[in-house]
Amino acid sequence: MIDYKKLDVEYDQIVILDLLSDDERTNWKITEELNSVLTTEGFSTRILNLSTKQELLDAINQLTIESHSGKRYMLHFVGHGNSDCIGFKHTGELIPWSAIEEPLRHLNKASNGSVVLNMTTCKGLNVINAVDQLKGEFPFFGIIGYSENLGVKPGINANKIFYLSMANGMQIQEAIEKVKKDTGDEKFHCITAQGYAAIKNKIEQQK
């Protein structure tokens, strides 16, 4: 089991990057409910409703600019995903994990390696594939994600438990363990980019 390092960071905001359609936002209310929980618990939030890959890249670039001034962000993705990508299901525009590796790497560097991604998407754990173990800098410190397809209600419920746990002082790893315990679902995970790269590099060396 990979130990999740404790980050000595206070995040200025949790940025919700919503890639859903307007109808999905209205019907599912994922971002609305998450934002309500976060603000009630005193977290500062920013909601970015996005419609294209370019808008996503521009948003990450803007956060990078702000991070150079000392701002620190946790990114919470709400959208559709699979083993290979995240994307806009209603338009058919897909974004391979590799396409966001470089923008996230710049953001993470500007944030002194503190960026954490929370992926409320199907198979969001696969964003770990954006890590290139040969590069000295990683696109994020770590990720929180689900290893299989994630339903709307389970996703909302799990994130409520997670953020309430963080508000009560739990570290990320502890909060994820509580999510697993309270939901009875072992498919929620968190992993560091450093840990993943070390494992992947070891496997490559054994080939």
mmCIF file of all heavy atoms in Angstrom, residues 1 18 20 23 25 32-33 35 66 77-78 93 102 111 117 124 139 144-145 155 168 176 179-180 187 192 196 200 205:
data_model
loop_
_atom_site.group_PDB
_atom_site.id
_atom_site.type_symbol
_atom_site.label_atom_id
_atom_site.label_comp_id
_atom_site.label_asym_id
_atom_site.label_seq_id
_atom_site.Cartn_x
_atom_site.Cartn_y
_atom_site.Cartn_z
ATOM 1 N N MET A 1 0.853 -1.205 0.000
ATOM 2 C CA MET A 1 0.000 0.000 0.000
ATOM 3 C C MET A 1 0.878 1.241 0.000
ATOM 4 O O MET A 1 1.876 1.309 0.728
ATOM 5 C CB MET A 1 -0.903 0.008 1.224
ATOM 6 C CG MET A 1 -1.867 1.177 1.282
ATOM 7 S SD MET A 1 -2.964 1.044 2.713
ATOM 8 C CE MET A 1 -3.908 2.537 2.508
ATOM 9 N N ASP A 18 -16.497 21.820 -14.090
ATOM 10 C CA ASP A 18 -17.693 21.076 -14.493
ATOM 11 C C ASP A 18 -17.734 20.950 -16.009
ATOM 12 O O ASP A 18 -17.843 21.932 -16.734
ATOM 13 C CB ASP A 18 -18.944 21.800 -13.985
ATOM 14 C CG ASP A 18 -20.213 20.980 -14.147
ATOM 15 O OD1 ASP A 18 -20.378 20.324 -15.191
ATOM 16 O OD2 ASP A 18 -21.052 21.002 -13.233
ATOM 17 N N LEU A 20 -20.008 18.938 -17.634
ATOM 18 C CA LEU A 20 -21.297 18.377 -18.005
ATOM 19 C C LEU A 20 -22.070 19.319 -18.923
ATOM 20 O O LEU A 20 -21.736 20.500 -19.057
ATOM 21 C CB LEU A 20 -22.123 18.083 -16.752
ATOM 22 C CG LEU A 20 -21.538 17.072 -15.761
ATOM 23 C CD1 LEU A 20 -22.440 16.968 -14.534
ATOM 24 C CD2 LEU A 20 -21.361 15.709 -16.415
ATOM 25 N N ASP A 23 -28.142 20.471 -19.393
ATOM 26 C CA ASP A 23 -29.224 19.583 -18.940
ATOM 27 C C ASP A 23 -28.750 18.684 -17.806
ATOM 28 O O ASP A 23 -29.482 18.470 -16.829
ATOM 29 C CB ASP A 23 -29.733 18.722 -20.103
ATOM 30 C CG ASP A 23 -30.568 19.514 -21.092
ATOM 31 O OD1 ASP A 23 -31.030 20.616 -20.737
ATOM 32 O OD2 ASP A 23 -30.770 19.016 -22.225
ATOM 33 N N ARG A 25 -26.320 19.306 -15.690
ATOM 34 C CA ARG A 25 -26.140 20.139 -14.501
ATOM 35 C C ARG A 25 -27.476 20.403 -13.808
ATOM 36 O O ARG A 25 -27.565 20.374 -12.581
ATOM 37 C CB ARG A 25 -25.481 21.463 -14.887
ATOM 38 C CG ARG A 25 -24.036 21.336 -15.333
ATOM 39 C CD ARG A 25 -23.507 22.631 -15.916
ATOM 40 N NE ARG A 25 -22.173 22.453 -16.485
ATOM 41 C CZ ARG A 25 -21.709 23.098 -17.530
ATOM 42 N NH1 ARG A 25 -22.482 24.000 -18.138
ATOM 43 N NH2 ARG A 25 -20.491 22.870 -17.977
ATOM 44 N N GLU A 32 -23.823 21.669 -7.893
ATOM 45 C CA GLU A 32 -24.638 22.465 -6.972
ATOM 46 C C GLU A 32 -24.602 21.878 -5.557
ATOM 47 O O GLU A 32 -24.425 22.606 -4.570
ATOM 48 C CB GLU A 32 -26.074 22.509 -7.486
ATOM 49 C CG GLU A 32 -27.013 23.365 -6.649
ATOM 50 C CD GLU A 32 -28.421 23.388 -7.224
ATOM 51 O OE1 GLU A 32 -28.554 23.414 -8.468
ATOM 52 O OE2 GLU A 32 -29.379 23.386 -6.432
ATOM 53 N N GLU A 33 -24.766 20.567 -5.457
ATOM 54 C CA GLU A 33 -24.778 19.931 -4.143
ATOM 55 C C GLU A 33 -23.398 19.946 -3.493
ATOM 56 O O GLU A 33 -23.263 20.185 -2.289
ATOM 57 C CB GLU A 33 -25.309 18.499 -4.243
ATOM 58 C CG GLU A 33 -26.788 18.428 -4.588
ATOM 59 C CD GLU A 33 -27.422 17.118 -4.136
ATOM 60 O OE1 GLU A 33 -26.989 16.571 -3.103
ATOM 61 O OE2 GLU A 33 -28.344 16.654 -4.820
ATOM 62 N N ASN A 35 -21.001 22.116 -4.027
ATOM 63 C CA ASN A 35 -20.697 23.484 -3.646
ATOM 64 C C ASN A 35 -21.421 23.870 -2.360
ATOM 65 O O ASN A 35 -20.873 24.581 -1.504
ATOM 66 C CB ASN A 35 -21.083 24.445 -4.773
ATOM 67 C CG ASN A 35 -20.587 25.856 -4.520
ATOM 68 O OD1 ASN A 35 -19.388 26.084 -4.380
ATOM 69 N ND2 ASN A 35 -21.515 26.802 -4.439
ATOM 70 N N GLU A 66 -2.218 32.401 -11.401
ATOM 71 C CA GLU A 66 -2.560 32.788 -10.029
ATOM 72 C C GLU A 66 -1.670 32.078 -9.015
ATOM 73 O O GLU A 66 -1.333 32.641 -7.964
ATOM 74 C CB GLU A 66 -4.028 32.487 -9.759
ATOM 75 C CG GLU A 66 -4.979 33.319 -10.613
ATOM 76 C CD GLU A 66 -6.428 32.888 -10.477
ATOM 77 O OE1 GLU A 66 -6.758 32.183 -9.506
ATOM 78 O OE2 GLU A 66 -7.248 33.252 -11.352
ATOM 79 N N PHE A 77 -12.855 17.718 -10.530
ATOM 80 C CA PHE A 77 -13.434 17.528 -11.855
ATOM 81 C C PHE A 77 -14.792 16.833 -11.753
ATOM 82 O O PHE A 77 -14.928 15.810 -11.078
ATOM 83 C CB PHE A 77 -12.510 16.662 -12.717
ATOM 84 C CG PHE A 77 -11.317 17.386 -13.275
ATOM 85 C CD1 PHE A 77 -10.207 17.629 -12.485
ATOM 86 C CD2 PHE A 77 -11.305 17.819 -14.596
ATOM 87 C CE1 PHE A 77 -9.093 18.290 -12.995
ATOM 88 C CE2 PHE A 77 -10.202 18.475 -15.120
ATOM 89 C CZ PHE A 77 -9.086 18.719 -14.312
ATOM 90 N N VAL A 78 -15.781 17.384 -12.434
ATOM 91 C CA VAL A 78 -17.109 16.766 -12.546
ATOM 92 C C VAL A 78 -17.385 16.561 -14.025
ATOM 93 O O VAL A 78 -17.450 17.533 -14.794
ATOM 94 C CB VAL A 78 -18.210 17.663 -11.927
ATOM 95 C CG1 VAL A 78 -19.582 17.048 -12.142
ATOM 96 C CG2 VAL A 78 -17.957 17.866 -10.435
ATOM 97 N N GLU A 93 -16.524 15.721 -27.688
ATOM 98 C CA GLU A 93 -15.117 16.131 -27.630
ATOM 99 C C GLU A 93 -14.424 15.422 -26.468
ATOM 100 O O GLU A 93 -14.772 15.626 -25.299
ATOM 101 C CB GLU A 93 -14.984 17.645 -27.461
ATOM 102 C CG GLU A 93 -13.540 18.110 -27.521
ATOM 103 C CD GLU A 93 -13.401 19.625 -27.450
ATOM 104 O OE1 GLU A 93 -14.303 20.295 -26.911
ATOM 105 O OE2 GLU A 93 -12.384 20.131 -27.951
ATOM 106 N N GLU A 102 0.825 18.192 -19.543
ATOM 107 C CA GLU A 102 1.726 19.341 -19.503
ATOM 108 C C GLU A 102 1.113 20.553 -18.795
ATOM 109 O O GLU A 102 1.783 21.164 -17.941
ATOM 110 C CB GLU A 102 2.177 19.719 -20.908
ATOM 111 C CG GLU A 102 3.204 20.842 -20.915
ATOM 112 C CD GLU A 102 3.772 21.116 -22.293
ATOM 113 O OE1 GLU A 102 3.368 20.433 -23.255
ATOM 114 O OE2 GLU A 102 4.623 22.004 -22.404
ATOM 115 N N SER A 111 2.675 25.587 -8.050
ATOM 116 C CA SER A 111 2.039 25.384 -6.735
ATOM 117 C C SER A 111 2.956 24.635 -5.769
ATOM 118 O O SER A 111 2.496 24.135 -4.744
ATOM 119 C CB SER A 111 0.741 24.594 -6.909
ATOM 120 O OG SER A 111 -0.138 25.236 -7.806
ATOM 121 N N LEU A 117 -5.992 16.389 -7.358
ATOM 122 C CA LEU A 117 -7.169 16.294 -8.219
ATOM 123 C C LEU A 117 -8.195 15.366 -7.584
ATOM 124 O O LEU A 117 -7.860 14.248 -7.186
ATOM 125 C CB LEU A 117 -6.797 15.744 -9.599
ATOM 126 C CG LEU A 117 -5.629 16.380 -10.351
ATOM 127 C CD1 LEU A 117 -5.485 15.719 -11.725
ATOM 128 C CD2 LEU A 117 -5.814 17.875 -10.491
ATOM 129 N N GLY A 124 -12.207 7.752 -12.968
ATOM 130 C CA GLY A 124 -11.355 8.929 -12.819
ATOM 131 C C GLY A 124 -9.974 8.633 -12.299
ATOM 132 O O GLY A 124 -9.048 9.430 -12.485
ATOM 133 N N PRO A 139 2.567 16.066 -12.820
ATOM 134 C CA PRO A 139 1.434 16.950 -13.109
ATOM 135 C C PRO A 139 0.534 17.221 -11.905
ATOM 136 O O PRO A 139 -0.340 18.070 -11.985
ATOM 137 C CB PRO A 139 0.662 16.191 -14.197
ATOM 138 C CG PRO A 139 1.016 14.758 -13.971
ATOM 139 C CD PRO A 139 2.434 14.755 -13.486
ATOM 140 N N ILE A 144 -7.557 11.699 -6.242
ATOM 141 C CA ILE A 144 -8.627 10.956 -5.597
ATOM 142 C C ILE A 144 -9.552 10.533 -6.733
ATOM 143 O O ILE A 144 -9.967 11.373 -7.538
ATOM 144 C CB ILE A 144 -9.396 11.846 -4.610
ATOM 145 C CG1 ILE A 144 -8.441 12.383 -3.528
ATOM 146 C CG2 ILE A 144 -10.570 11.095 -3.989
ATOM 147 C CD1 ILE A 144 -8.930 13.653 -2.894
ATOM 148 N N GLY A 145 -9.834 9.254 -6.828
ATOM 149 C CA GLY A 145 -10.649 8.813 -7.955
ATOM 150 C C GLY A 145 -11.291 7.469 -7.723
ATOM 151 O O GLY A 145 -11.002 6.771 -6.744
ATOM 152 N N GLY A 155 -21.515 9.124 -6.210
ATOM 153 C CA GLY A 155 -20.453 10.119 -6.312
ATOM 154 C C GLY A 155 -20.697 11.312 -5.402
ATOM 155 O O GLY A 155 -19.788 11.785 -4.714
ATOM 156 N N ASN A 168 -13.384 18.307 9.272
ATOM 157 C CA ASN A 168 -13.186 17.896 10.661
ATOM 158 C C ASN A 168 -11.725 17.598 10.980
ATOM 159 O O ASN A 168 -11.413 17.046 12.033
ATOM 160 C CB ASN A 168 -14.037 16.658 10.968
ATOM 161 C CG ASN A 168 -15.517 16.989 11.052
ATOM 162 O OD1 ASN A 168 -15.879 18.081 11.474
ATOM 163 N ND2 ASN A 168 -16.365 16.064 10.644
ATOM 164 N N ILE A 176 -10.379 9.390 2.774
ATOM 165 C CA ILE A 176 -10.721 8.362 1.797
ATOM 166 C C ILE A 176 -11.051 7.046 2.499
ATOM 167 O O ILE A 176 -11.986 6.327 2.109
ATOM 168 C CB ILE A 176 -9.573 8.160 0.787
ATOM 169 C CG1 ILE A 176 -9.540 9.329 -0.196
ATOM 170 C CG2 ILE A 176 -9.739 6.850 0.016
ATOM 171 C CD1 ILE A 176 -10.774 9.444 -1.079
ATOM 172 N N VAL A 179 -14.494 7.299 3.663
ATOM 173 C CA VAL A 179 -15.416 7.122 2.533
ATOM 174 C C VAL A 179 -15.630 5.639 2.259
ATOM 175 O O VAL A 179 -16.763 5.170 2.110
ATOM 176 C CB VAL A 179 -14.875 7.819 1.261
ATOM 177 C CG1 VAL A 179 -15.690 7.408 0.037
ATOM 178 C CG2 VAL A 179 -14.908 9.332 1.429
ATOM 179 N N LYS A 180 -14.548 4.887 2.213
ATOM 180 C CA LYS A 180 -14.649 3.444 1.967
ATOM 181 C C LYS A 180 -15.478 2.760 3.048
ATOM 182 O O LYS A 180 -16.337 1.915 2.765
ATOM 183 C CB LYS A 180 -13.253 2.823 1.916
ATOM 184 C CG LYS A 180 -12.423 3.199 0.715
ATOM 185 C CD LYS A 180 -11.068 2.495 0.772
ATOM 186 C CE LYS A 180 -10.216 2.796 -0.439
ATOM 187 N NZ LYS A 180 -8.913 2.087 -0.397
ATOM 188 N N LYS A 187 -13.726 0.833 -4.020
ATOM 189 C CA LYS A 187 -13.232 1.314 -5.320
ATOM 190 C C LYS A 187 -12.824 2.786 -5.298
ATOM 191 O O LYS A 187 -12.380 3.320 -6.305
ATOM 192 C CB LYS A 187 -14.276 1.067 -6.409
ATOM 193 C CG LYS A 187 -14.593 -0.407 -6.655
ATOM 194 C CD LYS A 187 -15.560 -0.586 -7.817
ATOM 195 C CE LYS A 187 -15.892 -2.049 -8.051
ATOM 196 N NZ LYS A 187 -16.713 -2.611 -6.958
ATOM 197 N N THR A 192 -0.409 8.883 -4.814
ATOM 198 C CA THR A 192 0.492 9.975 -5.159
ATOM 199 C C THR A 192 1.118 9.730 -6.524
ATOM 200 O O THR A 192 1.350 8.580 -6.912
ATOM 201 C CB THR A 192 1.627 10.125 -4.128
ATOM 202 O OG1 THR A 192 2.423 8.949 -4.130
ATOM 203 C CG2 THR A 192 1.071 10.394 -2.743
ATOM 204 N N TYR A 196 3.152 6.281 -7.760
ATOM 205 C CA TYR A 196 2.816 5.610 -9.015
ATOM 206 C C TYR A 196 4.026 5.538 -9.940
ATOM 207 O O TYR A 196 4.305 4.500 -10.544
ATOM 208 C CB TYR A 196 1.679 6.353 -9.710
ATOM 209 C CG TYR A 196 1.356 5.817 -11.089
ATOM 210 C CD1 TYR A 196 0.583 4.677 -11.243
ATOM 211 C CD2 TYR A 196 1.835 6.458 -12.229
ATOM 212 C CE1 TYR A 196 0.283 4.178 -12.506
ATOM 213 C CE2 TYR A 196 1.531 5.973 -13.493
ATOM 214 C CZ TYR A 196 0.763 4.833 -13.621
ATOM 215 O OH TYR A 196 0.482 4.346 -14.876
ATOM 216 N N LYS A 200 5.733 2.181 -11.447
ATOM 217 C CA LYS A 200 5.796 2.013 -12.898
ATOM 218 C C LYS A 200 7.239 1.863 -13.369
ATOM 219 O O LYS A 200 7.547 1.045 -14.231
ATOM 220 C CB LYS A 200 5.136 3.213 -13.577
ATOM 221 C CG LYS A 200 4.884 3.024 -15.070
ATOM 222 C CD LYS A 200 4.062 4.180 -15.621
ATOM 223 C CE LYS A 200 3.813 4.016 -17.100
ATOM 224 N NZ LYS A 200 3.028 5.138 -17.657
ATOM 225 N N GLN A 205 11.797 -1.638 -15.314
ATOM 226 C CA GLN A 205 13.142 -2.166 -15.127
ATOM 227 C C GLN A 205 13.169 -3.684 -15.116
ATOM 228 O O GLN A 205 14.188 -4.301 -15.442
ATOM 229 C CB GLN A 205 13.727 -1.630 -13.827
ATOM 230 C CG GLN A 205 14.039 -0.131 -13.861
ATOM 231 C CD GLN A 205 14.501 0.387 -12.511
ATOM 232 O OE1 GLN A 205 14.484 -0.327 -11.513
ATOM 233 N NE2 GLN A 205 14.901 1.640 -12.484
#
